[in-house]
Each structure stands twice: as C-alpha cells, then as structure tokens.
Amino acid sequence: MLLVAGVDIGNSTTEVAIAQINGSKLEFYTSGIEKTTGVKGTKRNIRGIVNALNNALENTPYQIKDISLILLNEATPVIGDIAMETITETVITESTIIGHNPSTPGGVGFGVGTTISFQELMSHRGKEPVIPLINAGYDFADVAAEINHKLDQGIRIVGVIVQNDDGVLISNRLKTSMPIVDEVKYIDKVPVHMPAAVEVAESGRTIETLSNPFGIATVFNLDPEETKLVVPLSRALIGNRSAVVIKTPQGDVHARRIPAGKLMILGQHHKAEINIEAGADEIMSSVEKVKPVLDVRGEPGTNVGGMLERVRAVMSKLTDQPIETMAIQDILAVDTFAPKEVLGGVAGESALENAVGLAAMVKTSRLPMQQIAAALEKEIGVKVQIEGVEANMAILGALTTPGSAKPLAIVDIGGGSSDAAIINSQDQVFYTHLAGAGDMVTMLIKAELGLDSTLLAEAIKCSPLAKVESLFHMRMEDGSVKFFDQPLDPHLFSRVVVLNGNTMEPIETDHSMERIRTVRREAKRRVFVTNVLRALTRIAPNGNIRLLDFVVIVGGSALDFEIPEMITEALAEYKIVAGRANVRGMMGPRNAVATGLVLSYYQNLKNGSNG
C-alpha cells in the first residue's frame, strides 16, 4: 500500500489530501489545512507544509514518516502593493490651512473672523469678529461664562475652536448659537490674529461652504491659482459635519507633486508604455494588447518604479536567484483611493487621493520549487516530487464534484492569484495564471478605509457588518434587526462591528456601516469579478466567454459570503452556469489542487508514467 499526500501551497493556506493506493484502487483517506508560512514558492513554506501534514494525520494511526510520497504543486508567488497616482499635497510654512471633523461639534452655523487666544479675549474691546482658541487648561463652564459676558459687552464672537471635547458642553451654556469645533489636538499650532472660518452643520447634514474650493476662495479672497491649491483641503472636508479653515498671509501654500511614473509592459511581440495616472482601465487595456506579458518595468525614480523593483528584490532574496532574472509575468491594476495626510493639519486631517493598486506576479524558474522539494525531503525523510501546474491539478480536483463532467472550466481564486482552466472532451487542458485575488482586496479595503490593521481589513473582507444600536439589539447590514437576551458589551454601543461567528469586533473608524460595506463590495468586484472575466476570456475557445457552458469555482475565496454570488451574477450575462465546487463530494470548494495532485499521480501510475 502507498500512502500518498498531495500538498497545495497557496498564498494564504497550505492544503493537504492524503490517499491510500492499493494496486489499482485509490481511496482518499484524510485532509488537512494550515496557514502558509512565508511567501508562496519559497523555502519558508516548509514549516507550513509540515504543519498541514500533521493536521491531516492528527486523528489517524499514521505519522509523516509513514507517507510513501509527497506531491507538490508548482507555486508562483504573487506580491501586491499600491502605486499612488500623482498626489498634490498642501505644504505649509509658518502656519496652515486646515480642516477638522470632530465627532461631537457644538452649536451650528458659519462664522468668519480673526483667531484670538482666550487670554486675550478677556481684555478684548475691538469690534471686528473674533474666533477664540480655548486650550485644555480652561474649564468649559468658565469659558461659556466669559463668552456670554463678552457677548453682553457687544464683542462679536462668531465661532470657537476648542482643544478638549467640550464643544457641546460650551454650546449648551451660551446665550447665542455659534459654530464650535472641538478636539483640536494641536491647538498650539493654530496661529493667532489670522483670518479663519468655522462651520458646523445641523445634525444629519454636512458642511457646504468649506467643502467647496470656491467657498474657501470666497472667504479668503483667493485668486484662481491659489484656489487650485486648496482642492485637496476641500476634498478632505466633503461629508464632514464641521470644519475650521485658517489662512495666514505670511504662510506660503505650495503644491508638491509626487510622480507616480510610467509602466513599460513588454510582450512577446509588442510593448506598451503607459502613465499610472491614466488609470487602471488603460493599464489593463495595454496588458491585454501586448499579451503574453514577458516582463513589466517601472520608470526609475518614481513611485511605481520603486514598487516593482522592491517586488523583484524581495523575490530575489527569497528564491536565491539573481534579481535580473526576476520577470513580472502579469499585473492587475485597480483604481482606488488612499487617505493622504494634509501637511500642517492640527488634528491629523487627511484627504482621499486617487491611487492605483497593483498586484504583480513574479515569474521565477522551477528551481525554487525544486529547492523546496529537496529541503522538505531532507527534513522529514520522505520522497518529495513536483507533480504538476496548479491550474491543471485544480481542474482534476474540481471534476470530483458530483454532477460535473467534461468539458468543464474552473476558476481558482486564492489569496494572491486567480487561475482559470478548461478541459475539453479530448482531455486537452488550457489554463492561465493571473495576479490579484484575496490579498489585494484586503489591501484595497485597508487603503480606502484608512485602517492601520491588516487583520481588521481581512475581517471586514470576510464577514458581514452590523451597527450596535442599543445594549440589547443590533441592525445588520441587510437591514434586519437582531435582539439579545443579555446586554452587549457597553464598549460596542453605537459602533460598527464585524461579525465573525459569535464574536463582534468593533471597527475603530468614523466611517458609516454603509460606507464600509460599499468599499468592501466594490473592492471585491474590481478584483475578483474583473480577474474572473479576464481569466475566462484567455482560456475560452477563440477568446469567447459565451462558448463556455459550465464554470466551477474553487479555492478559499469561493467560501466568501459574497464572491460566488458576484461571479454567478457577472457570468449570468453570458448565459454561463456557475457555482461552487464540492471536491470529492465533501470538501466544498477547498482542496481541489491537493486532490488533483494525488489523482494526477494515480493516473500516471496506472499509465506507467511514474515508473
């Protein structure tokens, strides 16, 4: 009896299928899965392989040393990164133009005046409108009393800027309603005796004047060139309930352009050069025009040039191959947004700037996989061989889905790559291997929501959302309401949370549940749906997707609660029947490649190809 293990090294997980071969009889025995260690296709994968094998054998009488043969797939590493489009920053000298959006501003309205310290306000007698600056050393009740006193004296106080979270407390004690912006952390950076505008919208509404570049131009009497430079600021304030904008005549506002750079796409017969600023659609159009892609280069000294060289350097180090041999065989470009800090801000203000996300697939030689096989064989004392290409193996595994038959097309969506393959009635297999999948979606969610944690972005990608509206109920993202017998954690009150099984993880952000959901779904569409259509076009007869009848979805991302529905909906337009695989009638969309590795070996063994 032979105990044979198929091992699928993925970007996120390593999966194992172990079968017993008795003469001409094949019987799958057990399966396992563990997190991939290191970058796919490198020696660091060995620990993850051993862990996955131990996981599969945990409740069996066997140990790793009892395995007769281990079969590996050919793993191609994929690295994703963001190459920013040209950014225009507001750079400040001496003082600043700022915007701010505290969670609980006070009062309502719009005021334009001159900034003044609270100490100076106490002795102020002028008639010009003023906006006092209240630092953390003053009590809100004393501040409100002094402002009321000055209003009684005829002093024109048109707005207030506060360091503490005291906006509502001060507003509730004033005789006259006025806009109050609080939580200005770096109030010491706010210049005094300078023109300023403070705006607070009514609850449920957003500001109108300071989120409009022409509104800012009107307030501060800017010329057309200066108006262009405040566009990043006004964009940062769109959707805010409150804002304060301050300008100093002594301060110079400069635009600093960070070049995104150009991509040089080298194909077998053609080449293309395109600026990142042209956007994802133009980049992907160029990729399709020059395919098959032999390499992609970035303009030296630019953002994208640095990104691609970093990808090459990382893969060169991990695979012990010369950097000049590192070729990028595919890229996926996606339009996105990324928050960019407005320099000179007093509370970490940022503006959403256009960006292009790039996933790059590095083509390495077969050598790294041979090195993995040799190192694994040495470590565990079991024979290891490379059995086949990932897509070919996946289609063999997918054919074990009950009800499937040839001809059949599959899409294998993993963490770093999207593969597609088709097998026709003559057993001919055509496949493609494309950059970009689950890891890129996580990257886009993290960038667009301005999150610090990749783990939180991953959780948002994989799980539905809810808003905790009381200690005993929450509203789900689909609009339904869920009630609880026991009170929820008070820290979750009024928070948007990610629902992962029975756990609720709060999302530390000011974004609404609707905004987070939109970012999540759009990121999935731009990566998964785009890549599935791109991959199926490459493998379809004559490049015509409409000639495909059945498409089976395999891979970890097929378990996602939204992706299969999105893909099925997109393929319905082409009258294609699509659905999740159920590998071996029990594994769902998982384990297709690992199962296919074992089946490939078994078929070759029967045909005498394995000796």
Side-chain angles (χ1 to χ4, degrees), residues 194-253:
M194 295 301 166
V198 179
E199 183 175 10
V200 175
E202 294 181 4
S203 182
R205 302 180 69 89
T206 59
I207 59 173
E208 297 178 357
T209 303
L210 297 182
S211 59
N212 176 2
F214 299 110
I216 297 176
T218 301
V219 170
F220 296 113
N221 194 28
L222 303 180
D223 62 32
E225 288 303 313
E226 291 173 319
T227 302
K228 291 180 182 178
L229 298 177
V230 299
V231 170
L233 171 64
S234 62
R235 286 176 58 186
L237 298 177
I238 292 174
N240 285 5
R241 188 188 161 198
S242 64
V244 51
V245 174
I246 303 168
K247 184 178 186 296
T248 169
Q250 293 89 345
D252 296 322
V253 180

Side-chain angles (χ1 to χ4, degrees), residues 128 294 373 490:
E128 74 280 3
L294 300 181

